[in-house]
Coordinates of all heavy atoms in Angstrom, one line a residue:
D256 N -26.3 26.9 0.9 CA -25.4 27.8 0.2 C -25.9 28.1 -1.2 O -25.8 29.2 -1.6 CB -24.0 27.2 0.2 CG -23.3 27.6 1.6 OD1 -24.0 28.0 2.5 OD2 -22.1 27.4 1.6
Y257 N -26.3 27.0 -1.9 CA -26.7 27.3 -3.3 C -28.0 28.2 -3.3 O -28.2 29.0 -4.2 CB -27.0 26.0 -4.0 CG -25.7 25.3 -4.6 CD1 -25.5 23.9 -4.4 CD2 -24.8 26.0 -5.3 CE1 -24.4 23.3 -4.9 CE2 -23.7 25.4 -5.8 CZ -23.5 24.1 -5.6 OH -22.3 23.5 -6.1
A258 N -28.8 28.0 -2.3 CA -30.1 28.8 -2.2 C -29.7 30.3 -2.1 O -30.4 31.1 -2.6 CB -30.9 28.3 -1.0
R259 N -28.6 30.5 -1.4 CA -28.1 31.9 -1.2 C -27.5 32.5 -2.5 O -27.5 33.6 -2.8 CB -27.1 32.0 -0.1 CG -27.9 32.4 1.2 CD -26.9 32.8 2.3 NE -26.3 31.6 2.9 CZ -25.0 31.4 3.0 NH1 -24.1 32.2 2.6 NH2 -24.6 30.3 3.6
H260 N -26.9 31.6 -3.3 CA -26.1 32.1 -4.4 C -26.9 32.0 -5.7 O -26.5 32.7 -6.7 CB -24.8 31.2 -4.6 CG -23.8 31.5 -3.5 ND1 -23.7 30.8 -2.4 CD2 -22.9 32.6 -3.4 CE1 -22.7 31.3 -1.6 NE2 -22.3 32.4 -2.2
L261 N -27.9 31.2 -5.8 CA -28.7 31.1 -7.1 C -30.0 31.8 -6.9 O -30.5 31.8 -5.8 CB -28.9 29.6 -7.4 CG -27.6 28.8 -7.6 CD1 -28.0 27.3 -7.7 CD2 -26.9 29.2 -8.9
S262 N -30.5 32.4 -8.0 CA -31.8 33.0 -7.8 C -32.9 32.2 -8.4 O -32.8 31.8 -9.6 CB -31.8 34.4 -8.3 OG -31.4 34.4 -9.7
G263 N -33.9 31.9 -7.5 CA -35.0 31.1 -8.0 C -34.9 29.6 -7.7 O -33.8 29.1 -7.6
Q264 N -36.0 28.9 -7.6 CA -36.1 27.5 -7.3 C -35.5 26.6 -8.4 O -34.9 25.6 -8.2 CB -37.5 27.1 -7.0 CG -38.0 27.6 -5.7 CD -39.2 26.8 -5.2 OE1 -39.6 25.8 -5.7 NE2 -39.9 27.4 -4.2
K265 N -35.8 27.1 -9.6 CA -35.4 26.2 -10.8 C -33.9 25.9 -10.9 O -33.6 24.7 -10.9 CB -35.9 26.8 -12.1 CG -36.9 25.9 -12.8 CD -37.3 26.5 -14.1 CE -38.0 25.5 -14.9 NZ -38.5 25.9 -16.2
P266 N -33.1 27.0 -10.9 CA -31.7 26.7 -10.9 C -31.2 25.9 -9.7 O -30.3 25.1 -9.8 CB -31.0 28.1 -10.9 CG -32.1 29.1 -11.1 CD -33.4 28.4 -10.9
L267 N -31.8 26.2 -8.5 CA -31.4 25.5 -7.3 C -31.7 24.0 -7.4 O -30.9 23.1 -7.1 CB -32.2 26.1 -6.1 CG -31.9 25.4 -4.8 CD1 -30.5 25.5 -4.4 CD2 -32.8 26.1 -3.7
L268 N -33.0 23.7 -7.9 CA -33.3 22.3 -8.0 C -32.5 21.6 -9.1 O -32.0 20.4 -8.9 CB -34.8 22.1 -8.4 CG -35.8 22.5 -7.3 CD1 -37.2 22.4 -7.8 CD2 -35.6 21.7 -6.1
F269 N -32.2 22.3 -10.2 CA -31.3 21.7 -11.2 C -29.9 21.4 -10.6 O -29.4 20.3 -10.8 CB -31.1 22.8 -12.3 CG -30.3 22.3 -13.5 CD1 -30.9 21.5 -14.5 CD2 -29.0 22.5 -13.5 CE1 -30.1 21.0 -15.5 CE2 -28.2 22.0 -14.6 CZ -28.8 21.3 -15.6
K270 N -29.4 22.3 -9.9 CA -28.1 22.1 -9.3 C -28.1 20.9 -8.3 O -27.2 20.0 -8.4 CB -27.7 23.3 -8.5 CG -26.3 23.5 -8.1 CD -25.4 23.5 -9.2 CE -24.5 24.7 -9.4 NZ -23.6 24.6 -10.6
M271 N -29.1 20.8 -7.5 CA -29.1 19.7 -6.5 C -29.4 18.4 -7.2 O -28.9 17.3 -6.8 CB -30.2 20.0 -5.4 CG -29.9 21.2 -4.5 SD -28.2 21.3 -3.9 CE -28.2 19.8 -2.7
K272 N -30.3 18.4 -8.2 CA -30.5 17.1 -8.9 C -29.3 16.6 -9.6 O -29.0 15.4 -9.7 CB -31.6 17.3 -9.9 CG -33.0 17.4 -9.3 CD -34.1 17.5 -10.4 CE -35.5 17.8 -9.9 NZ -36.5 17.7 -10.9
E273 N -28.4 17.6 -10.0 CA -27.1 17.1 -10.6 C -26.3 16.4 -9.5 O -25.7 15.4 -9.8 CB -26.4 18.4 -11.1 CG -25.2 18.0 -12.0 CD -24.7 19.2 -12.8 OE1 -25.2 20.3 -12.7 OE2 -23.8 19.0 -13.6
M274 N -26.3 16.9 -8.3 CA -25.6 16.2 -7.2 C -26.1 14.8 -7.0 O -25.4 13.8 -6.8 CB -25.7 17.0 -5.9 CG -25.0 18.4 -5.9 SD -23.3 18.4 -6.6 CE -22.5 17.3 -5.4
W275 N -27.5 14.7 -7.1 CA -28.1 13.4 -6.9 C -27.7 12.4 -8.0 O -27.8 11.2 -7.8 CB -29.6 13.5 -6.7 CG -29.9 13.9 -5.3 CD1 -30.2 15.2 -4.9 CD2 -29.8 13.2 -4.1 NE1 -30.4 15.2 -3.5 CE2 -30.1 14.0 -3.0 CE3 -29.4 11.8 -3.8 CZ2 -30.1 13.6 -1.7 CZ3 -29.4 11.4 -2.5 CH2 -29.7 12.2 -1.4
G276 N -27.3 12.9 -9.1 CA -26.8 12.0 -10.2 C -25.6 11.2 -9.6 O -25.4 10.0 -10.0
Y277 N -24.9 11.8 -8.7 CA -23.7 11.1 -8.1 C -24.1 10.3 -6.9 O -23.6 9.2 -6.6 CB -22.6 12.1 -7.7 CG -22.1 12.8 -8.9 CD1 -22.6 14.0 -9.4 CD2 -21.0 12.2 -9.7 CE1 -22.1 14.6 -10.5 CE2 -20.5 12.8 -10.8 CZ -21.1 14.0 -11.2 OH -20.6 14.6 -12.4
W278 N -25.1 10.8 -6.1 CA -25.4 10.2 -4.8 C -26.4 9.1 -4.8 O -26.4 8.2 -4.0 CB -25.9 11.3 -3.8 CG -24.8 12.3 -3.5 CD1 -23.5 12.1 -3.4 CD2 -25.1 13.7 -3.0 NE1 -22.8 13.3 -3.1 CE2 -23.8 14.2 -2.8 CE3 -26.2 14.4 -2.8 CZ2 -23.6 15.6 -2.4 CZ3 -26.0 15.7 -2.4 CH2 -24.8 16.3 -2.2
L279 N -27.3 9.2 -5.8 CA -28.4 8.2 -5.8 C -28.0 6.7 -5.8 O -28.6 5.9 -5.1 CB -29.4 8.4 -6.9 CG -30.7 9.2 -6.6 CD1 -31.6 9.3 -7.8 CD2 -31.4 8.7 -5.4
P280 N -26.9 6.4 -6.5 CA -26.4 5.0 -6.5 C -26.0 4.5 -5.1 O -25.9 3.3 -4.9 CB -25.2 5.0 -7.5 CG -25.4 6.2 -8.4 CD -26.1 7.2 -7.5
L281 N -25.8 5.5 -4.2 CA -25.5 5.1 -2.8 C -26.7 4.6 -2.0 O -26.5 4.0 -0.9 CB -24.8 6.2 -2.1 CG -23.6 6.9 -2.6 CD1 -23.1 8.1 -1.8 CD2 -22.4 5.8 -2.7
F282 N -27.9 4.8 -2.6 CA -29.1 4.5 -1.8 C -29.9 3.4 -2.6 O -30.8 3.8 -3.4 CB -29.9 5.8 -1.6 CG -29.3 6.8 -0.8 CD1 -28.4 7.8 -1.3 CD2 -29.4 6.8 0.6 CE1 -27.8 8.7 -0.5 CE2 -28.8 7.7 1.4 CZ -28.0 8.6 0.9

Side-chain angles (χ1 to χ4, degrees):
D256 276 10
Y257 279 134
R259 267 192 281 125
H260 290 98
L261 300 169
S262 56
Q264 286 196 13
K265 238 184 170 178
L267 178 60
L268 292 178
F269 182 84
K270 194 58 122 181
M271 295 310 294
K272 285 185 188 186
E273 195 165 0
M274 296 308 300
W275 281 103
Y277 296 90
W278 294 333
L279 263 183
L281 301 176
F282 294 90

